[in-house]
Amino acid sequence: MGGELNRIDLQNRVAVIAGVGSALGAATCARFAAGGARVVAWDGDPDTARRTAEALPAGGALARGGRGPETGTHGFAVVDFTDAAVVELAVTDTVARFGRIDILVCLMGAVSPGPRDGWVAGWKRAFDLAVHGTLVCTQAVARRMAAQGYGRVVHVASTHGRDGPQAHGAGAIQTDTIQAAVVALTRTLGDALAGSGVRLACVTTAAQRATVLDAMTRQHIEQMLAGIPLGRSGPEGDVAAAIAWLASEECAAASGTIIHLDATASASDTPT
């Protein structure tokens, strides 16, 4: 089916999208821009952050990490998500440039240890980015949101965080635990911030390319997809639309809410 997408009203909201180096990251930025948001793309890779921001309509404003016009609709920042001081500086720069931060989307949570990583090294790398990075970004931005009495935070994880053990081997232990931590983090922070005007939610998805799938062996990918009745993961555009709605003002009841977009995997008896 074609045609125009339903427009989710994000007009004039300042949205930080953290971790844009994937098809889902690009789709989320594009969906937010289509809804009228001023998008600030955060990523650890300078080229990825810049290209993502410049690809958006009416782009131009460049935040820390780039040099460019001082005014414009969108921007970017180069951010090490595991370094609290760097994240705080990115928040300060973003607020100085755009006036406020209304929305934070953390896409780092859907990473998994790579098949070539050693057990301990892979665990630490993935945990630092997915869990510690998500926490650091959420804390830094949510403090500003609470002070202004409004904010929306959306975390993204895989369905591993909901379903528990899903495959054999050490890699599955790492992935399941890390994803479950992101989900638990959303619930805990959502409860803590419920009275502040800040709303937190988490979208868990079936395996997304350029996030979880890129870190897995072919055998593991085939096993996961076999457990999804639709035979594929959800398109990035579908996930981006759900993120955009959770980040909108009309979604006011989501506090620690977890939304599952698993291509009906939860209806299957086969582990995904």
Side-chain angles (χ1 to χ4, degrees), residues 212-236:
V212 173
L213 289 184
D214 281 352
M216 293 182 176
T217 64
R218 184 69 225 170
Q219 181 181 5
H220 195 177
I221 292 172
E222 290 174 354
Q223 181 178 359
M224 290 182 65
L225 295 181
I228 301 175
L230 291 183
R232 59 168 176 79
S233 58
E236 287 82 6

Side-chain angles (χ1 to χ4, degrees), residues 123 127 130-131 157 161 175-188:
W123 163 269
F127 188 92
V131 184
T175 301
D176 292 347
T177 304
I178 289 168
Q179 298 303 313
V182 175
V183 171
L185 182 65
T186 305
R187 289 190 171 121
T188 302

Side-chain angles (χ1 to χ4, degrees), residues 13-19 28 32 40-42 79 81 87 91 94 100-108 133-143 145 148 150-156 189 193 198-202 243 246-248:
R13 293 296 187 187
V14 177
V16 169
I17 314 298
T28 301
F32 274 62
V40 187
W42 286 7
V79 183
F81 300 121
V87 171
V91 171
T94 300
R100 57 192 288 130
I101 299 175
D102 300 297
I103 299 164
L104 170 68
V105 178
C106 291
L107 296 171
M108 306 86 72
T134 297
L135 173 61
V136 167
C137 288
T138 300
Q139 285 185 321
V141 174
R143 281 195 293 267
M145 292 177 171
Q148 67 196 23
Y150 178 90
R152 298 287 186 267
V153 178
V154 183
H155 298 159
V156 177
L189 291 175
L193 291 167
V198 181
R199 299 288 179 263
L200 269 79
C202 181
I243 294 171
L246 287 168
S248 68

